[in-house]
Amino acid sequence: MFKLIEDLLSEAEVAELNRIADDSQFVDGRVSNPHNKAKQNLQLHDGKVIETTARMIIEALMRSEEFRNFAFPRVIAPPIITAYRPGMKYGLHPDAAFMQLGNSLMRSDISCTVFLSDPDSYDGGELQISLGEQDVKIKLSAGSVVLYPSTTLHQVLEVTRGERRVGLSFIESRIVDPENRELLYELNEVAALEGLKMDWDNYVRLQRVQMALLRRWAIGS
């Protein structure tokens, strides 16, 4: 299951992130994974710049109720802004199961792409996610985000014109099992949409089930 969230970032935030990126140095994206033959892109390299842009994106993610309700975030890897220029792509791959974060490892449950370029400003560059025998192509407006399981096979198709710029992050969820996470998300959505129409005693019983499953399935902070 994947989730699209429109307008996660405001126009002003998108403009500021792009301004910072315009004034910063990009390096070969393989600097963070030199043995990855599928990776053909650029990424920001300056630590202070990455810290500033990552903080802006994480703040936007955490203020989004849709994001919090879908991801149940426990740890969010600092997002890194990457760029794809004509001829660049990222071949088919799953994301790594664990990632180094400071002196510890985080488990990557959910991959996160935040779009920073106007989709009309570049050709190609779609995020293509494989779902069984079908492929889904995603190219969202600037400021929007897509969340998808890190286990899925996905790729970025070749950019043929312009520049595709995105922020990439990974989330360790409090709900480890993806099926449990989806079930709890759906249950919470139904409760939010229909709960107040129910008899109050039945609504309280539903809330008890929600909280019991969250306690059963969630890992600690």
Side-chain angles (χ1 to χ4, degrees):
M1 182 178 182
F2 56 91
K3 177 73 172 173
L4 308 179
I5 304 175
E6 299 286 345
D7 302 322
L8 176 88
L9 297 167
S10 68
E11 289 185 10
E13 287 170 326
V14 171
E16 178 63 9
L17 287 167
N18 279 310
R19 184 198 65 77
I20 294 171
D22 287 338
D23 293 338
S24 303
Q25 180 187 11
F26 282 86
V27 298
D28 189 328
R30 283 175 293 186
V31 69
S32 58
N33 192 349
H35 303 296
N36 190 337
K37 297 180 179 179
K39 191 176 187 181
Q40 301 175 33
N41 63 7
L42 303 170
Q43 67 183 50
L44 292 180
H45 187 58
D46 184 280
K48 291 184 178 179
V49 172
I50 292 174
E51 182 180 350
T52 298
T53 56
R55 182 173 62 250
M56 291 177 62
I57 295 173
I58 289 176
E59 287 176 355
L61 288 169
M62 288 307 296
R63 73 172 179 245
S64 168
E65 186 176 7
E66 284 188 85
F67 169 77
R68 299 194 307 271
N69 290 345
F70 179 82
F72 299 92
R74 182 171 184 254
V75 181
I76 303 176
I80 296 180
I81 294 178
T82 67
Y84 293 78
R85 293 168 185 167
M88 294 184 177
K89 60 183 179 180
Y90 201 144
L92 193 66
H93 65 284
D95 288 319
F98 292 93
M99 298 182 179
Q100 193 73 36
L101 201 62
N103 294 322
S104 61
L105 289 176
M106 67 161 282
R107 187 186 61 253
S108 59
D109 298 316
I110 301 169
S111 299
C112 171
T113 298
V114 181
F115 291 80
L116 299 175
S117 299
D118 186 323
D120 293 331
S121 69
Y122 64 99
D123 293 331
E126 294 89 352
L127 172 64
Q128 182 171 293
I129 301 175
S130 298
L131 300 175
E133 296 182 354
Q134 294 186 333
D135 292 326
V136 178
K137 294 181 180 180
I138 299 172
K139 187 175 182 178
L140 301 181
S141 60
S144 298
V145 63
V146 59
L147 305 165
Y148 51 98
S150 298
T151 54
T152 56
L153 289 174
H154 56 281
Q155 62 183 313
V156 177
L157 301 182
E158 183 177 340
V159 171
T160 58
R161 177 187 66 88
E163 179 174 300
R164 174 193 193 261
R165 195 177 283 175
V166 298
L168 295 178
S169 183
F170 304 92
I171 296 103
E172 180 178 301
S173 177
R174 293 183 184 278
I175 311 298
V176 178
D177 186 285
E179 184 175 355
N180 289 348
R181 188 163 61 244
E182 181 177 344
L183 289 172
L184 193 54
Y185 169 72
E186 292 289 353
L187 180 62
N188 292 346
E189 285 288 284
V190 171
L193 293 171
E194 303 294 338
L196 296 181
K197 301 176 186 178
M198 299 171 61
D199 175 84
W200 181 254
D201 288 342
N202 288 334
Y203 180 49
V204 170
R205 291 172 65 191
L206 177 62
Q207 287 184 310
R208 176 181 175 275
V209 172
Q210 288 175 270
M211 297 304 105
L213 291 178
L214 186 59
R215 289 187 180 94
R216 179 184 293 267
W217 291 339
I219 57 177
S221 58

